């Protein structure tokens, strides 16, 4: 497989909008660095060839965000995240975790930091799966899961990516955790991450339709962009026990109203809201089953 690397320059305040747009367009990975002139430099990877409207410097999409498309390069089938893993730094996520996106087993100074800070080290090497703690939506979801009493509960993680939320739920004391992931590569990597961390959620490569209807779950966690989250809401609610909780992350302010209205219709009431930058996440409780 060949890849396209798009290099974009933009003012720092436009970062969240750009990242959301690229995520919606299916970017395979992003790297954000300070640029030379006070702007940010963002590299975004796509399968080659990239969609025409993304590959053109005159695209109204870039103008709308205030971003400049500085370069489009074709990259061969190499492990383009290897250099990124070399530079990646561990991030504290929620109350308990230190997530290390670096090369697994490379001396691992993160282990020492985890010991010092009393956090559990989670090794989630940056590869082709989302959820290494570098994105606000992941951090918000973990923070909300930290608020939920998970002891002895059954948890479903919809769109598990690296498995980060499933691992967080197990560390929070859940009795059983299932992760569902539509992208087979990510599902495979989540499986490898289980062995790296000696944490063993059940994993399903597919959608919610692959799961049995019963028994239901006490908690459902989903960090998905609104366009993917909203269509899945009825299926998530169908697998949630009465009184159960939904942790929903990955929303931007523009999607908030429609998400809240849709979830209320299904019997979900917001219990807590958290924000970081433009990203919003909710903890909701199922008041009645429709
Ligand atoms: N849970 C991780 C990853 C979130 S990214 C975290 O919080 O960081 C969202 C993931 O959901 C992606 O890996 C994507 O492939 C997957 N996904 C999107 N729609 C899905 C669906 N309908 N069912 C299952 N997985 C889905």
């Amino acid at each position: 497989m060949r890849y396209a690397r798009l290099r974009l320059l933009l003012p720092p305040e436009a970062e969240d909008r750009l990242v959301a747009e690229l995520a919606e367009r299916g970017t395979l990975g992003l790297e954000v660095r300070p640029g030379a002139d006070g702007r940010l430099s963002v590299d975004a990877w796509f399968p080659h060839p990239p969609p025409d409207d993304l590959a053109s410097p005159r695209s109204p999409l870039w103008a709308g965000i205030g971003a400049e498309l500085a370069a489009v390069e074709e990259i061969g089938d190499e492990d383009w995240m290897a250099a990124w893993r070399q530079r990646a730094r561990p991030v504290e996520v929620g109350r308990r975790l230190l997530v290390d996106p670096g090369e697994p087993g490379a001396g691992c100074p993160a282990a020492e930091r985890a010991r010092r800070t009393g956090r559990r080290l989670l090794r989630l090497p940056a590869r082709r799966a989302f959820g290494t703690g570098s994105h606000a939506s992941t951090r918000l979801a973990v923070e909300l899961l930290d608020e939920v009493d998970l002891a002895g509960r059954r948890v479903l993680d919809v769109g598990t990516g690296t498995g980060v939320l499933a691992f967080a739920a197990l560390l929070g004391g859940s009795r059983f955790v299932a992760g569902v992931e539509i992208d087979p590569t990510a599902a495979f990597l989540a499986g490898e991450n289980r062995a790296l961390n000696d944490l063993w959620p059940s994993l399903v490569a597919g959608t919610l339709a692959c799961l049995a209807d019963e028994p239901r779950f006490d908690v459902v966690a989903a960090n998905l962009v609104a366009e993917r989250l909203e269509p899945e809401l009825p299926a998530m609610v169908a697998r949630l026990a009465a009184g159960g909780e939904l942790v929903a992350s990955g929303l931007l302010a523009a999607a908030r109203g429609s998400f809240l209205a849709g979830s209320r219709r299904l019997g979900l009431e917001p219990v807590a809201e958290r924000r970081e930058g433009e990203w919003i996440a909710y903890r909701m409780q199922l008041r009645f089953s429709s």
Side-chain angles (χ1 to χ4, degrees), residues 10-18 38-40 65-66 278:
L10 67 156
E13 60 276 13
E15 179 185 350
D16 283 347
R17 282 185 55 211
L18 178 77
R39 290 190 290 177
L40 291 178
I65 295 172
E278 285 190 41

Side-chain angles (χ1 to χ4, degrees), residues 19-257:
V19 170
E21 188 64 44
L22 292 168
E24 256 162 48
R25 299 299 302 265
T27 184
L28 299 169
L30 291 172
E31 187 173 6
V32 182
R33 284 187 308 264
D37 54 0
R39 290 190 290 177
L40 291 178
S41 168
V42 175
D43 285 350
W45 280 264
F46 287 88
H48 195 274
D52 284 346
D53 62 326
L54 298 192
S56 159
R58 284 175 300 282
S59 164
L61 178 69
W62 304 136
I65 295 172
E68 176 196 334
L69 180 65
V72 179
E73 280 172 89
E74 188 179 337
I75 309 277
D77 193 4
E78 63 205 44
D79 183 359
W80 41 263
M81 293 180 88
W84 186 353
R85 285 197 300 274
Q86 294 300 329
R87 284 197 302 271
R89 295 281 163 271
V91 235
E92 296 190 352
V93 178
R95 278 206 311 258
R96 305 191 180 82
L97 305 179
L98 180 68
V99 176
D100 184 8
E103 206 63 68
C108 203
E112 169 50 28
R113 177 165 158 200
R115 256 194 306 281
R116 225 176 37 243
T117 53
R119 287 175 173 266
R120 167 61 145 90
L121 181 65
L122 209 49
R123 295 172 202 262
L124 303 177
R127 296 182 287 196
R128 284 189 47 200
F130 190 99
T132 56
S134 59
H135 196 263
S137 62
T138 306
R139 293 194 293 269
L140 290 171
V142 173
E143 287 167 21
L144 286 172
L145 275 177
D146 277 348
E147 290 178 7
V148 179
D149 177 13
L150 294 171
R153 319 285 292 278
R154 287 170 50 84
V155 180
L156 173 62
D157 173 15
V158 183
T160 199
T162 56
V164 58
L165 302 183
F167 297 135
L170 281 174
L171 291 168
S174 306
R175 169 165 60 94
F176 173 79
V177 180
V180 178
E181 172 54 59
I182 205 169
D183 170 359
T185 304
F188 171 81
L189 293 173
E192 290 208 323
N193 290 339
R194 290 194 295 201
L196 279 177
N197 295 287
D198 197 16
L199 290 168
W200 301 90
S202 290
L203 293 176
V204 176
T207 65
L208 280 179
C210 303
L211 291 182
D213 293 339
E214 302 283 345
R216 295 197 180 200
F217 290 87
D218 305 300
V219 179
V220 174
N223 174 14
L224 303 174
V225 288
E227 290 69 16
R228 291 184 175 253
L229 183 63
E230 289 194 25
E232 290 290 355
L233 268 179
M236 289 185 206
V237 167
R239 282 170 178 80
L240 201 53
E245 295 192 53
L246 172 72
V247 167
S249 191
L251 295 161
L252 287 168
R256 183 175 176 274

